[in-house]
Structures are given as structure tokens and as C-alpha cells.
Amino acid sequence: MSAVPQPTISLPTPNLNSIPNPTTLLKTLSSSYSLAHFKQVHAHILRSTHSPSHSLILKLLSSPSLPYSLSIFSHLPHPLPSLSTPFLRHLSRSSKPEFAFFVYQRLRNEGIPIDRFAFPPLLKAASRVGWLAEGKEIHGFGFKSGFHSDPFVQTGLMVMYVGCGRLPEARLVFGKMSYRDIVAWRIMIDGYCQSELFDDALELFEEMKRANIEADKFVLSGILSACARAGNLDCGKAIHDYIIQKELVIDAHLRCALVTMYASCGCMDMAQQLYDQMKPKNVVVSTAMVSGYSRHGRVKDARLIFDQMVEKDLVSWSAMISGYAESDQPQEALRLFKELQILGIRPDQVTMLSVISACANLGVLDKAKWIHVYADKNGFGGSLRINNALIDMYAKCGSLERARNVFGKMTSRNVISWTGMINAFAIHGDANNALRYFQKMKEAHVEPNGVTFVGVLYACSHAGLVEDGRKIFASMINEHNITPKHEHYGCMVDLLGRANLLREAVEIVETMPFAPNVVIWGSLMSACQIHGETELGEFTAKRVLELEPDHDGALVLLSNIYAKERKWQNVGDLRQLMKERGISKERGCSRIELNNEVHEFLVADRNHKQAYEIYEKLNEVVSRLKLDGYAPNTGCVLVDLEEEEKREVVLWHSEKLALCYGLINGAKDSCIRIVKNLRVCEDCHTFLKLVSKVYRREIIVRDRTRFQHYRDGVCSCRDYW
């Protein structure tokens, strides 16, 4: 056992003239809270000719200073268990539980008796400081002393092993107990829950019921927590039924556990019903409701609960910010974060990760730079998780350079760091650097995982590196022993489909070891659309609709195929079907940030305050581009319209409007950054290339899947998109 240093405390020298009687001294000690007062009373005791009573010594041992108490104990000539055991109990509950081992060392060294009641506090102290070796020694000593079958000692051993994270040893002790009371069951179940072994916790609860042990509210709360964290609604409902069947009183603690379980499992109607019955509603259960609604896309309901909360802690703020960030409402997440700052509440790492994620989704570089500065100023700069998130944020905000700077300054990197950087290169169309960093990652002896290979294959797919993609896919299986999943086969189908190797792509779909999902059929469907393979495109679109009947992309593609073939009756039938099912094609939307303000534009949008100027600018731009040979490509307008109407539809695409706003209001020669929710169409792609040349402006557009950098009339995708 590692030695615990003995505190050196000088005992007071008695210098008082009168000595109160022992009863008065005991009363004085009982009302004393300062060390100085304790020392005065101790001085009186030392001057007294009478031996101090047992009660008086125990009071002295509970002084406000643990080192002082230990010093007193060290001067006791032969402390019997009636003194040493209560003192051990006091130390095990104190701020310095490790001091209990100093007492234990003295008792062992001097051969002073240790009774069975001394073991639980010693084991509790070992549990609190995580001293497994010391705990095991006490276990061995208890066995030699004949206390191994004592229920007090066995329960203490369980507490120690659970506290030190040794669940198998705890279960072994539990299995050997001749009598298991509710406390023993609770310790074991809680241990499994704390270690996130929820299935083991639920299995033990079933064993407990078979043993006819009545569960108390603490056990039930622990099991409900396990159900919540495991997302096991069926088991959670069974526990609720058990509570009703046993007619147990559902107090605030148990009701809170039930609400949290239902909310975590997405059963929000039941959670709301139980929540409404709670009076008052505490911050924990309200936060669970906010998280539950947010997680299942009901952000308005989450905000309603959040606004009604009388008290809000950082966890509740983080839950609401995270809800907005994950529900594609990044601006609301950032707005709420500003409110948090105004209130002077310091965010933690969880909050910062949500805010960084919101910035990444928004795709606005100025806000991203501000968040980065804020994170560094508030001490988050050294966090591996934060730096990994910053790499992703900068990549999604269009700044590969800043993503590389974060990566370069990191003192340690894990597989997520390397994968994040590879993905950054991939979405920006820089396949060469994606492959180079993949090689450097392996040279740094960081083992790539399945997500890494998705990034590398994605890079190959968008750059047309078919042979590299084939080799990497094979190495994933043969060298790294990673079994391909749907997403890996999807990348290969996309790689081959983009390269117009549709026959080979179809072969992969047909020979996969599992049924293709919507994503894989969708990749093949997109390739058919790119290369004008209408027959195969119609086939794949129908396969998508078999798996997902309301898939808007497949319905639109099918409609477009019929439109290209001028089968207007089929187009009308499909559009009527979509109308009946409430399915609509997602409207194009583009965002641009200028002067710390984000501006959004829809197709043919005239709601912006500068709408007149924007359309005037658009006419000017079109006139200038026509001198360079531009003619609107109306081939992508697959509705039955007159040619002039088609030209207007094409020219009023949201990214063109955002671009013109940037040309009007942005600083000359500044980079124009646009974020779009859909894929850029062929006409806009040509339009943006020509604008970058004629107006000598760099334009960066983030669409649904990737970035395109337009400069001097050339796009980074080199028209392979």
C-alpha cells in the first residue's frame, strides 16, 4: 500500500487558568466551528487531570481541520475500534478520504484490533479516490480476518470495485453473497448503469424480480435511467407498468426518471403527460423535455418548454442550442448563444461543440472566425474535440487554409483529426491532398477507420480517380480488415457512375452482400441523370420509390425523364400524385453573409429590400456575359413553358440573386461566398465561371454535397461534377 504522509501539526500549549468540567467542554465543542476554538478546548483537555471521555475524544477527532484531527489520533495511546471506526467513517466522508489509510496503516502496524464495521468506510475511501490496489489489500485482509462472508464487508467491497470501475470483481462478490438486500442489488445495478452496460443492468433487474425482491424508487430510477440511455422504450414501459402494478408512490424523483425515459426514447406524448403532472417542475426534467423534443425535430415544442423554465442552467441552454444546431436552424443556435453570453454564463465544451456545429451548418466564414477566437480566449484551444470540430467548421465554411492551420497547430491528433482533414480536402475537390494526407496518416501509424475510407473514396469519386478508388476500396478490405458497409458501396457506385461506367456500377449493386438501400440506388439514379441514361434512370428511380414512396428526388427525376421525352401526361400524373401526398420539390435557397448579416434568397425572390437593385444588376451581368458567349441553358427547365419563361426561370435561380447582391454590396476584389441547399445546375455553373472571369472575382459556392471554387473562368471541379 502506498504510504500516506502523516500531517505535522503542533498541539497547543495549555495556558489557561481555569478548567471547565467535561460536560461543559463537550457542549463547547459541539457548538464550535473554527479550528482556533477547537484548539482552545483541546488545551483545556490537556490541562485537565481527568482522562477525557470517549465522547469528548470523538468530538475532537471531528475538528474542522483533517490534519489536526489526524495529529490528535496519532497521539492517542491505543485507540480501540469504538474510536477508530467512527473516525474512519468520518474520514471516508470527508474531502480527503485518502487520510483514512493513514489510520488504517497505524492500526495494522501496531496490531490494534479492527472490527468488521471499519471495513465499509475504508472501502468507501478507496472507491472515492480510485485506489484499487489499496482496496484489494483491504479485501485480502478482510478475508484473512474472517469477515469475507459478512454482509457489511461484502457490500463495502462491491462499492469499492464499482467505484474503481471493476464490474466483474463486483459481480463476483455479489454472486457469493448469501443474503442480498435491496442495497446490494442497487449498488450492482447502478454500477452497470454508470459504466453504460445497460443491457447488464436490465438483465440484473429481471433477475431481481425473479428473486422476489421488491424494488425501491432508487433501483427503479436507476433502471429507468438505463432504459433512457439505451433507448429501450419497451423495457421502460414495462418498468412503468411494474410501478403501477405494485401501486408504488410516484414521487418527484421517480416521476422525473419516467419523464426522462419517455423523452429520451422519443415517446413525447407520454413524457408531456407526466411532465404536466409535475409541480413544481425542476430544471433536470425540463431539460430532458427540451432534449427529447429537439432530438425528434420538434424544436418549437422544445423552445416552448425552454421559455417556460423558471431556472435555467448551462445544461438546459446547451440542450436548446444543440436542438437548433441539429435541426438545421443554425442562426437560432447562434442567436441563443449570444443571449447566453449576455447573461454572463460561461459555456462548457458541450456548448461550444454545438455552437461550432451551428457555424459549420451556416457556412459563414466571418462567424466561424469569431467563434474560433472566442474558443481560444476562453480556454478551449487545447481541446482535441474542439480542434477536430474547428477543422470541420472551417472546411464547411469554405476555408481549407484555416482548416489546415488548425490541423497543423494541434499537439496531438487522432483518427478523427486526420479523417476530418481528408474529408475537408474531399468536399473541396482537392483529391490529391486528400490522398496525400491519407498516406501521411498511415505513416503516422494512425489506423484509418470506416469513416476515413468514405472520405477518401468520396475524394476519388468527385475527381474521377477511378483506379485509385478501386485500389483503396480493395486495401480497406485486404489490408485494414474493414468490412464495407452501405456507404462504402455507395461511394463506389458513385465513383463508377460519375465516370460513366454504369455497367460496372450496376454489377456492384447486383453483387453486394446485402440489399442496396435508398442511398445506393440514389447514387446510381444521379449518375443516370448526369449521363442522360433515361431507361436505367427510370428503373433506378422506381427502385428508390419502392423503398421510400415519398422520396421527392426520385419523383422529380421521374417527372424530369418524362418531361425530356415530352410525356406531359405522365408528368401531370406524377405532379398530381405529389400534390395528393403533400410532397413538393425542395425550393432552391442560397445564403450570403455581408457585414455580419446573413441574407437568404429563394428562386425568383423579390422580398429582399434591395430586390430592384439586385435584378437591375442581374440584367447588367447577363448583358456583359453574353459578350463572352453566354446563353441561358434552358434544358434543365423541365416544365411545359414557353422558351422566354424558361429563360426567366433559369436566370432567377437563388445563387444568381445572391451573387448579384454580393457584387453590389461586397468590397471590390473580395471573395464572394455562397451557401446553397441544392446542387448547382448546369446553367448556374457556367454563369458563375464566366462571372469570375469577367468581374475578376473569386466565388466559392457550397452546395448540398461539395464546394466549388470559381476563379478566372475555371471551376475547381474542372467540370467533373
Side-chain angles (χ1 to χ4, degrees):
M1 177 181 295
S2 54
V4 180
Q6 179 177 349
T8 54
I9 297 288
S10 300
L11 297 177
T13 303
N15 56 4
L16 303 175
N17 297 323
S18 59
I19 301 172
N21 62 52
T23 304
T24 304
L25 288 171
L26 187 59
K27 287 181 180 179
T28 305
L29 273 180
S30 298
S31 60
S32 297
Y33 298 100
S34 70
L35 180 59
H37 206 173
F38 259 77
K39 286 183 177 182
Q40 279 190 329
V41 178
H42 192 188
H44 282 299
I45 293 169
L46 291 174
R47 285 198 64 195
S48 174
T49 55
H50 301 288
S51 297
S53 68
H54 183 273
S55 301
L56 203 55
I57 294 172
L58 279 178
K59 273 293 175 190
L60 277 173
L61 290 173
S62 62
S63 80
S65 167
L66 291 176
Y68 190 79
S69 298
L70 279 171
S71 185
I72 292 171
F73 182 82
S74 68
H75 285 79
L76 295 176
H78 193 75
L80 294 173
S82 57
L83 282 175
S84 60
T85 299
F87 187 45
L88 284 169
R89 198 175 298 118
H90 169 68
L91 292 173
S92 72
R93 297 168 179 166
S94 71
S95 60
K96 294 283 185 181
E98 62 269 24
F99 281 2
F101 294 101
F102 166 71
V103 174
Y104 173 69
Q105 281 178 337
R106 184 191 169 193
L107 298 177
R108 290 292 309 275
N109 292 341
E110 297 180 16
I112 299 169
I114 299 176
D115 66 13
R116 65 191 182 107
F117 299 107
F119 284 88
L122 281 167
L123 292 164
K124 181 180 180 180
S127 167
R128 288 187 61 197
V129 295
W131 286 7
L132 180 62
E134 286 76 3
K136 282 185 171 181
E137 182 183 316
I138 293 165
H139 188 175
F141 179 65
F143 188 88
K144 290 177 184 176
S145 303
F147 297 140
H148 56 282
S149 298
D150 186 279
F152 284 99
V153 176
Q154 288 175 321
T155 302
L157 285 168
M158 285 178 62
V159 168
M160 184 272 294
Y161 282 123
V162 166
C164 293
R166 304 300 287 261
L167 273 297
E169 287 89 335
R171 186 62 188 261
L172 199 61
V173 173
F174 179 77
K176 291 180 179 178
M177 293 178 75
S178 55
Y179 172 72
R180 302 168 188 159
D181 62 7
I182 190 65
V183 175
W185 288 93
R186 186 195 308 156
I187 291 166
M188 200 63 244
I189 289 171
D190 284 349
Y192 282 133
C193 290
Q194 289 164 20
S195 297
E196 299 187 2
L197 299 170
F198 306 120
D199 290 340
D200 292 300
L202 298 174
E203 185 182 318
L204 192 61
F205 179 69
E206 290 301 317
E207 187 180 326
M208 178 181 166
K209 288 198 292 185
R210 289 194 295 271
N212 295 319
I213 304 294
E214 290 285 333
D216 62 12
K217 64 179 182 180
F218 300 106
V219 169
L220 292 169
S221 296
I223 288 295
L224 286 168
S225 174
C227 293
R229 294 166 73 183
N232 192 332
L233 180 60
D234 290 338
C235 183
K237 283 181 175 177
I239 301 299
H240 195 180
D241 291 341
Y242 175 88
I243 292 167
I244 295 168
Q245 177 192 342
K246 296 291 182 180
E247 298 182 348
L248 298 174
V249 175
I250 302 180
D251 62 4
H253 186 74
L254 200 51
R255 192 177 299 278
C256 180
L258 282 165
V259 171
T260 303
M261 182 276 295
Y262 280 118
S264 298
C265 294
C267 189
M268 295 311 301
D269 292 342
M270 195 64 199
Q272 186 70 56
Q273 183 181 326
L274 288 163
Y275 179 75
D276 290 340
Q277 295 168 6
M278 291 189 71
K279 292 181 182 178
K281 297 171 173 61
N282 62 47
V283 68
V284 174
V285 73
S286 296
T287 302
M289 290 294 291
V290 170
S291 296
Y293 276 128
S294 297
R295 199 161 35 241
H296 295 90
R298 296 171 63 177
V299 189
K300 286 184 179 179
D301 292 315
R303 185 59 190 261
L304 188 64
I305 298 283
F306 181 79
D307 288 339
Q308 290 172 350
M309 291 173 68
V310 178
E311 293 181 21
K312 300 182 182 82
D313 61 8
L314 180 58
V315 179
S316 51
W317 281 92
S318 294
M320 195 66 247
I321 291 169
S322 174
Y324 280 128
E326 292 172 11
S327 300
D328 199 25
Q329 296 186 46
Q331 287 178 284
E332 286 300 320
L334 296 175
R335 197 172 290 124
L336 205 59
F337 181 61
K338 281 190 176 180
E339 285 184 38
L340 186 74
Q341 290 176 282
I342 292 167
L343 291 172
I345 301 173
R346 189 179 184 278
D348 62 6
Q349 188 176 102
V350 174
T351 318
M352 288 306 303
L353 288 169
S354 293
V355 172
I356 293 169
S357 172
C359 258
N361 291 338
L362 192 61
V364 177
L365 185 59
D366 286 345
K367 279 189 168 54
K369 290 189 283 189
W370 177 81
I371 287 295
H372 188 184
V373 170
Y374 180 90
D376 283 346
K377 282 185 177 179
N378 287 273
F380 296 105
S383 164
L384 180 62
R385 291 183 69 193
I386 293 290
N387 282 318
N388 287 342
L390 288 172
I391 290 170
D392 179 66
M393 177 188 74
Y394 276 130
K396 289 178 178 174
C397 290
S399 181
L400 259 180
E401 182 185 352
R402 288 179 179 274
R404 289 175 81 164
N405 285 342
V406 173
F407 183 83
K409 290 176 182 177
M410 291 173 71
T411 54
S412 64
R413 304 182 185 109
N414 60 10
V415 64
I416 298 171
S417 318
W418 286 96
T419 300
M421 204 60 237
I422 290 166
N423 283 334
F425 288 122
I427 63 173
H428 282 268
D430 190 350
N432 290 333
N433 267 320
L435 295 175
R436 191 165 67 86
Y437 269 65
F438 180 58
Q439 185 59 37
K440 288 172 70 175
M441 176 185 184
K442 292 191 287 185
E443 289 169 3
H445 305 293
V446 177
E447 183 66 21
N449 59 22
V451 181
T452 314
F453 279 99
V454 170
V456 181
L457 290 170
Y458 181 93
C460 293
S461 171
H462 284 262
L465 303 178
V466 176
E467 282 308 312
D468 287 297
R470 285 174 175 147
K471 289 175 184 176
I472 287 163
F473 185 76
S475 74
M476 178 180 74
I477 301 167
N478 301 325
E479 295 175 28
H480 298 277
N481 299 315
I482 296 174
T483 303
K485 296 182 179 178
H486 275 100
E487 51 266 37
H488 301 108
Y489 283 107
C491 284
M492 289 303 295
V493 170
D494 192 51
L495 169 73
L496 296 166
R498 285 177 185 275
N500 203 12
L501 298 170
L502 291 170
R503 184 184 296 277
E504 195 175 339
V506 170
E507 284 178 11
I508 285 186
V509 173
E510 291 175 342
T511 57
M512 281 167 48
F514 35 69
N517 61 11
V518 169
V519 176
I520 290 173
W521 281 121
S523 293
L524 190 54
M525 181 178 74
S526 296
C528 292
Q529 185 178 17
I530 291 168
H531 298 293
E533 290 287 342
T534 55
E535 188 177 342
L536 184 57
E538 184 177 357
F539 173 79
T540 55
K542 287 178 178 178
R543 298 293 79 74
V544 170
L545 291 170
E546 284 175 4
L547 296 171
E548 196 175 305
D550 292 342
H551 192 287
D552 60 337
L555 288 166
V556 169
L557 174 63
L558 213 50
S559 174
N560 291 348
I561 289 171
Y562 294 143
K564 278 187 175 180
E565 296 173 352
R566 296 191 169 276
K567 296 179 180 178
W568 300 117
Q569 181 61 45
N570 290 3
V571 173
D573 292 343
L574 272 177
R575 293 191 181 277
Q576 181 61 32
L577 176 67
M578 291 173 72
K579 185 177 179 181
E580 289 171 1
R581 292 184 183 175
I583 305 165
S584 59
K585 180 182 177 182
E586 188 177 357
R587 291 188 70 187
C589 174
S590 296
R591 291 195 299 259
I592 183 172
E593 185 196 32
L594 280 176
N595 303 318
N596 290 319
E597 190 177 352
V598 178
H599 301 262
E600 286 190 349
F601 296 90
L602 299 173
V603 177
D605 199 335
R606 293 188 181 270
N607 293 321
H608 195 277
K609 60 185 179 182
Q610 288 183 259
Y612 179 79
E613 297 170 67
I614 290 168
Y615 280 91
E616 283 291 305
K617 188 69 176 179
L618 179 59
N619 291 334
E620 175 211 304
V621 172
V622 172
S623 297
R624 287 190 64 179
L625 296 191
K626 281 182 177 178
L627 298 175
D628 270 63
Y630 172 69
N633 180 356
T634 58
C636 58
V637 181
L638 301 174
V639 288
D640 194 9
L641 296 174
E642 295 297 326
E643 191 62 27
E644 184 60 32
E645 291 177 299
K646 288 184 178 182
R647 285 182 72 260
E648 288 182 347
V649 169
V650 167
L651 291 176
W652 294 345
H653 278 186
S654 62
E655 57 266 56
K656 290 189 178 84
L657 300 178
L659 172 68
C660 289
Y661 178 80
L663 290 171
I664 294 168
N665 298 284
K668 191 178 180 181
D669 300 328
S670 63
C671 176
I672 297 175
R673 299 172 184 274
I674 298 169
V675 177
K676 187 178 181 183
N677 63 330
L678 303 177
R679 189 173 184 267
V680 175
C681 75
E682 290 179 42
D683 183 74
C684 286
H685 186 63
T686 302
F687 187 90
L688 292 163
K689 284 195 299 181
L690 287 170
V691 169
S692 72
K693 175 186 175 184
V694 171
Y695 285 83
R696 296 181 181 179
R697 300 288 288 274
E698 182 183 3
I699 304 164
I700 299 176
V701 178
R702 184 183 104 183
D703 68 12
R704 175 175 277 174
T705 59
R706 65 181 295 178
F707 278 87
Q708 290 171 312
H709 297 246
Y710 301 90
R711 185 183 295 155
D712 299 325
V714 178
C715 179
S716 57
C717 74
R718 306 203 179 278
D719 296 338
Y720 188 89
W721 60 291

